[in-house]
Amino acid sequence: NILDLKGSSGNSIVKRGDELIAVSGSTGGLTVIDYDSFTQSDYAPLKNAKYFNYLGDDAVSLTASMTDAKLRHYGDGDDCHSPNITTSIGSISPYDGKLVVHLDDDNTYISCATEGLKVFNSSTLEQVGAYQQLSSSTNCVTSDENFVYLANGSQGLVILG
């Protein structure tokens, strides 16, 4: 099956309960898809959308353009239309690179390509940490109760304690 998305490209997708949330590019947004029927059930326009993720009632989206990136927190994870907090997180270079948002119980982690890793409090979106990589590109981030793991391009795997 193929479902057309608004915007220039599909950037990420996450399964949430009985739905999929697909994120699409510069003129796209967040498309909510019913998992069983594979039909669009909702759409929230979001210019320069790159990533969406959630954990429990916390949901966040990331947008990035040539000059700025924004992180949006949706207090009620079921409503993709009305973020309750939006914050600028500075530039991400390249802004059209591999950008991933990961949430744990307290923090939101963003892989920011050549800008490394940026860490935000999941509730307030205040920046609480960062990791500047030296010679590569932070392409992906995940964590467990002990460590944060970065896929750091030519540097390989970086484990932060």
Side-chain angles (χ1 to χ4, degrees), residues 43-152:
Y43 173 75
L46 189 58
K47 187 175 182 178
N48 300 316
K50 299 295 180 192
Y51 210 89
F52 177 88
N53 209 343
Y54 78 98
L55 180 64
D57 287 337
D58 285 321
V60 293
S61 65
L62 175 67
T63 60
S65 68
M66 192 177 304
T67 58
D68 190 32
K70 289 191 179 0
L71 187 61
R72 290 169 176 80
H73 178 272
Y74 305 83
D76 177 2
D78 292 332
D79 181 9
C80 297
H81 293 277
S82 304
N84 60 353
I85 303 172
T86 300
T87 190
S88 175
I89 64 168
S91 65
I92 295 176
S93 178
Y95 70 94
D96 58 352
K98 300 170 187 166
L99 309 174
V100 172
V101 178
H102 171 73
L103 286 79
D104 68 16
D105 290 336
D106 300 313
N107 296 311
T108 297
Y109 303 86
I110 304 173
S111 63
C112 296
T114 61
E115 305 295 321
L117 172 73
K118 295 182 182 183
V119 184
F120 297 85
N121 175 286
S122 288
S123 299
T124 65
L125 297 190
E126 292 178 36
Q127 188 165 351
V128 295
Y131 173 78
Q132 295 293 58
Q133 49 73 37
L134 301 174
S135 61
S136 192
S137 185
T138 303
N139 294 322
C140 187
V141 58
T142 193
S143 68
D144 61 22
E145 60 276 352
N146 298 312
F147 302 103
V148 175
Y149 304 91
L150 306 178
N152 247 33

